[in-house]
Amino acid sequence: MLSKSERTRLFIIEKSAALFNRKGFHGTSMSDILEATGLAKGGIYGHFASKEEIALEAFEFAFRKISDELALRIKQQTTAPDKLMAIVDYYYTFLSAAPVEGGCPILNFSSHTDASMPELKKAVHKAVRILLDSMHRILLKGQEYKQIKPNLDPLRESEILFSRIEGALMLAQATHDESRLQRLLDDLKIYIQENLKQ
């Protein structure tokens, strides 16, 4: 059971996550956070030392939502190709139904952070590594169980899959066209079937 203080902190993080994800770090003001939460400035600074700290917690909250949902979808599948398909399918309606408003936090936060925010940059890098490592492990296991072609480099293929998903999200987000996202993800599923599946 969370204490009142912990509930308030989580509430601030949840409300701020959508703001930072949608408007970016520099586009989100403390006034925006105050308005979204309905709290006074003292209510915010009683829980966080700075806007940077809120942004860091907001990113970690947003990424955790995605990674938890992805883990559940992956776990429901038994073969490596099906696990990869589940990852691709997860992003199919990401523009209209992302778990945190604004789309992919990795894409958004990586383009909004700079050298003045080393902790946030580190958190984004860690999130990318987690997703890449997950795909890499799926591909390695798939080769072990003869579900993925043996001559492929699992590390390279995980980077291809990740970059094609993020690239599709970026292009669709920039053009406000979810059908483009879906076409690109359909092409990626064909790539999995024809190039990766044993």
Side-chain angles (χ1 to χ4, degrees):
M1 183 86 160
L2 294 175
S3 68
K4 185 182 177 189
S5 174
E6 289 169 331
R7 286 198 306 274
T8 302
R9 185 180 174 86
L10 183 57
F11 174 72
I12 295 167
I13 292 166
E14 286 176 349
K15 292 294 185 182
S16 301
L19 285 172
F20 285 116
N21 203 35
R22 196 174 69 249
K23 299 175 74 173
F25 179 80
H26 297 293
T28 301
S29 66
M30 285 306 296
S31 297
D32 292 329
I33 295 170
L34 295 174
E35 186 180 334
T37 59
L39 296 171
K41 193 177 279 191
I44 302 289
Y45 284 117
H47 294 277
F48 298 95
S50 64
K51 187 173 100 167
E52 288 82 359
E53 186 183 352
I54 301 171
L56 176 60
E57 296 264 1
F59 172 75
E60 289 176 342
F61 168 82
F63 177 67
R64 197 162 44 248
K65 284 196 85 162
I66 288 171
S67 60
D68 288 350
E69 289 182 7
L70 268 173
L72 184 62
R73 286 181 178 236
I74 291 167
K75 196 174 181 180
Q76 290 170 345
Q77 306 302 322
T78 54
T79 70
D82 287 343
K83 288 177 188 290
L84 296 175
M85 292 290 192
I87 293 170
V88 176
D89 283 338
Y90 175 69
Y91 290 98
Y92 210 70
T93 55
F94 218 70
L95 289 195
S96 59
V100 176
E101 185 187 345
C104 176
I106 288 178
L107 180 64
N108 294 333
F109 278 78
S110 64
S111 61
H112 296 149
T113 54
D114 55 38
S116 67
M117 294 171 272
E119 292 306 310
L120 190 50
K121 282 181 80 73
K122 205 181 297 179
V124 173
H125 181 262
K126 181 181 176 185
V128 170
R129 272 263 58 90
I130 288 169
L131 292 182
L132 280 171
D133 288 348
S134 173
M135 291 183 198
H136 186 219
R137 282 194 305 273
I138 290 168
L139 288 159
L140 280 170
K141 279 283 182 193
Q143 286 181 324
E144 185 183 335
Y145 290 104
K146 303 189 186 328
Q147 299 162 353
I148 296 291
K149 291 179 181 176
N151 58 323
L152 300 175
D153 177 353
L155 179 59
R156 179 176 176 274
E157 293 300 335
S158 65
E159 291 171 345
I160 289 170
L161 292 172
F162 181 78
S163 62
R164 285 186 64 173
I165 290 169
E166 289 296 315
L169 286 166
M170 184 273 295
L171 190 56
Q173 199 165 300
T175 57
H176 307 286
D177 185 356
E178 193 163 69
S179 66
R180 175 174 277 134
L181 171 64
Q182 292 164 357
R183 284 196 307 276
L184 292 167
L185 293 180
D186 283 339
D187 287 344
L188 185 53
K189 288 166 80 171
I190 292 168
Y191 177 84
I192 293 168
Q193 286 284 356
E194 294 183 353
N195 294 75
L196 305 185
K197 189 175 179 181
Q198 173 80 301

